[in-house]
Amino acid sequence: MSSSESQDPAAASEVQLSKKAAKKEAAKADKLRRRQEIAAASAATANLSVDEDDPLAANYGDVPLVELQSKTPANVDDWTPVEALGVALENKTVLIRGTAQTIRPVGKKMAFLVIRDDYFTVQCLVQAQPDTVSPQMVKFAASLNRESIVDVEGVVTIPTAPIKGATQQVEIQVRKLHCISRAMPTLPINLDDAARSEIEIEKAIQAGEQLVRVNQDTRLNFRVLDLRTPANQGIFSVQSHVSNAFRQFLLSEGFREIHTPKLIAGSSEGGASVFRLDYKGQPACLAQSPQLHKQMCICARFGRVFEIGPVFRAEDSYTHRHLCEFTGLDLEMEIKKHYFEVMDVVDRLFVAMFDSLNQHCKKDLEAIGSQYPFEPLKYLRNTLRLTYEEGIQMLKDVGVEIEPFGDLNTEAERKLGQLVLEKYGTEFYMLHRYPLAVRPFYTMPCYDNPAYSNSFDVFIRGEEIISGAQRVHVPELLEQRAAACGIDVKTISTYIDAFRYGAPLHGGFGVGLERVVMLFCGLNNIRKTSLFPRDPLRIAP
């Protein structure tokens, strides 16, 4: 996320929730939690688990805690993943563990369960049979609460008709059923509702029907449940793949992974968006980026470094793309002559990353697209590069006026992204040679015009994801630039001193992990790609 980006009127208009509404939502959540506790106590009193008079009672029931406390070692190979259940296992006895997604009683002697494990589901039939399955076991199955964790042992069969409600086209004839963790009887979010797409809801409205829409704040209040939906499982699998692809590519290019401190003495980016705190009687800040320390590592002659870690911005931004804490993917490297050397790495890195996502995350992307439909990202084999002035001219040509030495606001970014797509057929491009006035203090000015800088931003689908540049490596110029940007030079004296011992030419960039995933997957809000989002109104769960 660009440190130079400020909240503009267009972004401010995207405020989604007032403090009053947030308090109201929290009160509703607390009321629901108390209702759940009462329901759970009632269920425990009812003791629906096992009929002690049943001779087959050992085949079902809630597993006692003592049996769950790592009492005896088990062979994990005894369990079969739901994903592996197929026709090859016909007539085989299998043991699976999963979540009871659907419970459907059919009279007193039959019940269907759909068990979920990751993206995969299988239908299980609990049917009363002499010497195998008792009516009491069917009753137990029917008494299970949705989202409870169960162990199922049974025989794999192939039904005569396709199974519409499960991914696996086999059925398990249940012989044993044990619950290892009961969910509450009434959940705050119905997962079927949470997994429903807006398209499905709109179609229902047009047909005169009404479907439940789970709003974003309810999802975030009960994030553990919300994360169980297929789309969210996909989103965070993609996120994991992005960070792993970032790491593996850079390691292959001779970069070294580092871990910089998040408690620092002074602001690392300048401006007011910094969390200040007391550090044993001394003023301190949460790092706005690893910028200062990754540059110090270059001064230590590490050559090429990268980091994946938390970044903190105390911005009062309520937009769809800002967070107070996000995961930064940062890189710094020595350069020989030109900041294009950094841009070359960006080009190779992100094209390789996008290729890898499209190749290895097909199932995840399909799960995301089922709930949040999106078009695959359009990108070129050699990433398009435009100067800032060229971008401004493209906007001027269609009547959009931009300050010559100002920054692009959200609306201008989106319009330029649209123009680039129409002209060049790509949604991923670089804009470089930005005005110096809108860049951080450590950015190197252009040699031919000090009003511009050796810097660049990178965009996906009309939104900025990367801010990078050649850095100032001359300590006297660093001091001048820091003072001009309102930074107390004394608070970063050890950083500036690092350049007094001999410092190579270098440059780098920073990118927000959550923003990359959001834009690659065509999502409309960064809170969908942040595991537990932190924004000006949210610090829980």
Side-chain angles (χ1 to χ4, degrees), residues 163-181:
I163 300 174
K164 296 181 179 180
T167 63
Q168 308 309 105
Q169 292 305 300
V170 297
E171 186 174 74
I172 297 180
Q173 307 298 315
V174 179
R175 297 294 177 263
K176 294 182 180 180
L177 176 64
H178 292 93
C179 181
I180 64 170
S181 177

Side-chain angles (χ1 to χ4, degrees), residues 339-372:
Y339 68 99
F340 276 15
E341 295 166 41
V342 182
M343 293 171 68
D344 291 341
V345 172
V346 173
D347 187 351
R348 296 196 305 275
L349 165 61
F350 277 83
V351 170
M353 181 187 294
F354 297 154
D355 286 348
S356 182
L357 286 169
N358 287 327
Q359 180 181 353
H360 299 293
C361 296
K362 292 180 181 178
K363 195 174 296 179
D364 303 308
L365 296 172
E366 287 173 4
I368 298 167
S370 293
Q371 183 165 2
Y372 307 112

Side-chain angles (χ1 to χ4, degrees), residues 248-268:
Q248 294 305 319
F249 179 89
L250 294 179
L251 289 173
S252 74
E253 294 246 338
F255 284 79
R256 185 184 308 185
E257 185 169 10
I258 59 172
H259 304 282
T260 61
K262 305 310 166 201
L263 289 169
I264 59 176
S267 170
S268 49

Side-chain angles (χ1 to χ4, degrees), residues 45 61 120 234 317 364 394 457 460 473 477 487:
T45 304
F120 307 99
S317 297
D364 303 308
M394 289 179 69
D457 278 359
I460 295 179
H473 66 285
L477 180 55
I487 295 174

Side-chain angles (χ1 to χ4, degrees), residues 109 123 169 197 227 324 327 329 507 534 537:
K109 295 189 176 182
Q123 180 170 284
Q169 292 305 300
S197 72
L227 290 172
C324 291
T327 302
L329 308 177
R534 296 292 179 258
L537 295 176

